[in-house]
Amino acid sequence: MARFTLPEAHAILAFMMTPVLDDIDKDWLTGLDVTASQQALLDRCTEAWKLCLEVYGDLPCPRIWFDLRGKTAGQAHFGRGGLRFNPVLYDENRYAFLINIVPHEMAHWLVDHLEGSEKMRPHGHEWKTVMRELFGLAPDVTHCFDTGRASPAPHIYACSCMRHTFTNRRHGLVLGGKRYHCRSCLLPLTYLGRNEDIKVS
C-alpha cells in the first residue's frame, strides 16, 4: 500500500480549502435511541474517513467499537485497526462527539498512516495540522465532559489523610457490611458521595 511522505501530505493540506463536516441537528440527535445514535456516530466516522481520503487515498477504513470505559472519550487503536469510543460519554455528549471527538480520533488514524509516523508525537504538529486544515477545528487535546457516570470508580470515601475512589462493586460490598480502613492512617473510610456530586481536591 502506498504511503504519502510528510512533505506530500502537508502540500496537499496547505492547498485545500478548509473543509468542515456538516453540522448536526441537535434535536434529531437527542431524540435517537441508543442503537440509532451509535449508527449516527458510525456514519460520522465514514464521513470523516472519506474526507481523509482527499489527503491519503489509500487510507484504510477503521473498524469502530463502543467498548471504551472510564474517562477517555475516544481512542485510535492501531493494534486492533480502528477507533474505540466510550458509549456512556457518547450517550451523554452526542453532539460534541460527532462534531469534535470523531474528527479528533480520525486525525490520529490519518497521521498514523503517514510516512514517518513512528517519530511523531500523538498530538504533535502533524495531528494539529490535520485538525486545523482538514477538519477546520481547533486541535483540542482533552475534553471537558462530566465523567461521573462513565468513571470506573465513581464513589468517594475519605479518611483523615486523603480521599479514596471506589468502584460500584466495592461500594456495594460496603453497603453489604464490609468495612475498609486507610493503609496510611489506619482509620475507617467514610462515604462522601459520588464524584459528580462533590468536589474532589
Side-chain angles (χ1 to χ4, degrees):
M1 179 182 294
R3 291 165 69 96
F4 279 105
T5 63
L6 289 180
E8 289 170 338
H10 283 284
I12 294 171
L13 285 171
F15 286 102
M16 292 180 66
M17 298 294 291
T18 304
V20 178
L21 296 174
D22 291 337
D23 197 10
I24 303 293
D25 185 317
K26 292 182 181 179
D27 292 334
W28 167 79
L29 188 60
T30 302
L32 298 177
D33 62 24
V34 172
T35 301
S37 72
Q38 291 188 353
Q39 183 59 52
L41 187 142
L42 293 173
D43 293 341
R44 190 66 161 186
C45 286
T46 299
E47 294 173 19
W49 169 69
K50 288 181 178 178
L51 190 57
C52 289
L53 291 179
E54 297 182 22
V55 175
Y56 178 31
D58 290 328
L59 183 69
C61 185
R63 297 178 63 190
I64 308 296
W65 299 276
F66 293 93
D67 63 354
L68 200 55
R69 298 289 182 261
K71 299 180 180 182
T72 304
Q75 178 188 68
H77 198 296
F78 307 114
R80 290 173 67 181
L83 309 179
R84 301 175 65 201
F85 294 98
N86 188 314
V88 176
L89 289 180
Y90 171 54
D91 195 49
E92 296 175 347
N93 306 276
R94 295 178 180 182
Y95 183 79
F97 261 69
L98 298 192
I99 297 299
N100 293 303
I101 303 301
V102 167
H104 179 120
E105 301 308 331
M106 195 62 71
H108 282 305
W109 183 251
L110 170 60
V111 170
D112 183 69
H113 287 82
L114 296 176
E115 188 71 36
S117 61
E118 66 279 357
K119 299 178 182 178
M120 301 175 196
R121 296 170 56 195
H123 295 106
H125 174 71
E126 296 79 14
W127 177 83
K128 290 177 181 178
T129 298
V130 172
M131 287 295 288
R132 289 193 187 104
E133 298 188 21
L134 182 63
F135 288 109
L137 297 171
D140 297 325
V141 174
T142 60
H143 67 73
C144 56
F145 302 143
D146 179 350
T147 60
R149 199 165 71 89
S151 173
H155 300 282
I156 307 298
Y157 283 75
C159 58
S160 67
C161 65
M162 69 180 76
R163 291 186 175 182
H164 308 257
T165 55
F166 276 30
T167 62
N168 287 328
R169 179 180 178 279
R170 201 174 187 193
H171 177 64
L173 293 175
V174 174
L175 296 178
K178 186 173 178 59
R179 295 291 173 257
Y180 290 91
H181 292 74
C182 176
R183 293 181 180 179
S184 296
C185 68
L186 303 180
L187 292 178
L189 304 187
T190 303
Y191 185 54
L192 299 182
R194 293 180 64 89
N195 65 4
E196 66 264 35
D197 298 324
I198 63 177
K199 182 176 181 180
V200 181
S201 58

